[in-house]
Amino acid sequence: MPFDPPADAEARRAVQPVICYPSDTLPAPDLSLYRAAREDAVKTNEVLVPPREASCFGVPAGHFFRISSVEGPQVGDLNLWNSSNLDERFYSGKTRALHGTHLTTGQRMWSSFPYLRPMATILTDTLDWYGKDSFGGSVHDVIGTRCDPYTGNLLAQRQYHHCCHSNLIRALADHTGMSLGEAEPFVHDVLNVFMCTGFALDTGQYFMKQSPVRPGDYLEFFAEIDILGALSACPGGDCSTEHSSDVASCYPLLVETFAPGAAALSGWSGPTLSGYDGSHGR
């Protein structure tokens, strides 16, 4: 049953918010160094991710990778791991707490505890012009978890296997030789590349809307550590109508990797692990 508001209700609502994790003390990436190294970088590989499927790719520390829209408007779900230790993986919740609900140029994808270090830094975002729209929507979110068969079954009592969660499991299993059951625990909350999302102002519910991405748009990263990535071309296509569907128009996504020149990153070293001593008060 609803309760009557207290006499000081408006005063309580008017209390000013406090940013939980001020970003001015975060270690800043050397974007000028990264951009200089990118100028003469040479393409080393590409992976074309089919519609409603996922593929893995590798990126050595100090190299670059680019995710591009190539045939039509398409969003993608991105997982990252330390290529030599899959327990260290992208931590979307902490990345959101540090940078906000959507990522863009100069911001980073941070790894899970107990490692907590930057895995990749966004170097170029051709959709940074979008900003935040009148609905509160923006691009490249770290608030959506990924479409998955469990929620689909819960809400619609159906068996659908080409959602991003299942796509990423199959890709990781195929790449590593693990079984599906072994691979599933490593699949984690994603960076929703090109996806336009926000929270409804009236209900607070997570929403999606048609992505502004078009062929030629891309998101490019600098790999801070040796990375194994997996990208799913979401079955929602541009997510303008349905979230997981065989009806939505879907297109491939292209992942390209680039190697800098031998001396381009002279003096650069990768990020160290968290400096916390791990004692937890004992």
Side-chain angles (χ1 to χ4, degrees):
M1 57 178 289
F3 293 91
D4 293 332
D8 63 345
E10 289 306 316
R12 295 192 199 185
R13 292 191 184 102
V15 172
Q16 292 293 309
V18 176
I19 299 299
C20 294
Y21 300 103
S23 60
D24 53 356
T25 58
L26 275 178
D30 190 344
L31 294 181
S32 59
L33 175 66
Y34 297 172
R35 286 171 176 151
R38 178 66 182 87
E39 287 182 4
D40 298 318
V42 176
K43 184 173 176 176
T44 55
N45 194 29
E46 68 173 46
V47 174
L48 190 65
V49 183
R52 296 185 178 85
E53 293 290 349
S55 299
C56 285
F57 59 93
V59 193
H63 290 213
F64 304 88
F65 65 102
R66 174 185 290 190
I67 300 173
S68 300
S69 168
V70 288
E71 292 183 13
Q74 176 66 42
V75 307
D77 287 42
L78 179 64
N79 268 189
L80 296 182
W81 300 269
N82 177 339
S83 61
S84 61
N85 174 18
L86 297 187
D87 286 329
E88 184 178 7
R89 65 196 78 178
F90 172 51
Y91 188 177
S92 68
K94 187 55 66 179
T95 299
R96 178 174 64 249
L98 293 172
H99 293 304
T101 56
H102 298 77
L103 302 187
T104 190
T105 305
Q107 296 177 328
R108 304 171 117 170
M109 299 176 70
W110 293 81
S111 69
S112 54
F113 298 158
Y115 313 98
L116 194 61
R117 58 177 172 170
M119 304 182 77
T121 299
I122 298 178
L123 192 61
T124 308
D125 175 10
T126 66
L127 293 174
D128 63 359
W129 56 266
Y130 190 88
K132 190 175 289 290
D133 62 34
S134 60
F135 302 98
S138 194
V139 186
H140 315 307
D141 84 70
V142 282
I143 50 180
T145 56
R146 63 201 173 275
C147 54
D148 69 90
Y150 304 103
T151 307
N153 183 260
L154 175 68
L155 298 178
Q157 296 77 52
R158 64 172 182 158
Q159 303 291 320
Y160 186 75
H161 309 298
H162 285 271
C163 46
C164 290
H165 180 77
S166 299
N167 293 350
L168 293 166
I169 291 170
R170 293 194 305 274
L172 182 61
D174 290 346
H175 182 81
T176 61
M178 289 189 286
S179 69
L180 296 178
E182 291 169 331
E184 184 167 16
F186 291 104
V187 171
H188 50 276
D189 287 354
V190 298
L191 170 62
N192 281 305
V193 178
F194 305 140
M195 192 169 181
C196 189
T197 60
F199 292 112
L201 299 179
D202 53 351
T203 65
Q205 289 174 290
Y206 178 56
F207 72 74
M208 63 185 188
K209 57 179 291 190
Q210 184 179 56
S211 173
V213 68
R214 295 296 180 268
D217 281 316
Y218 63 89
L219 193 61
E220 188 163 286
F221 303 80
F222 176 78
E224 301 279 359
I225 65 173
D226 292 335
I227 283 173
L228 171 63
L231 180 68
S232 172
C234 181
D238 66 1
C239 289
S240 59
T241 53
E242 296 186 76
H243 195 239
S244 298
S245 155
D246 285 332
V247 177
S249 296
C250 291
Y251 302 93
L253 291 169
L254 180 66
V255 182
E256 300 168 280
T257 54
F258 304 86
L265 290 170
S266 179
W268 175 82
S269 59
T272 58
L273 298 175
S274 170
Y276 177 61
D277 65 14
S279 63
H280 301 292
R282 287 284 179 87

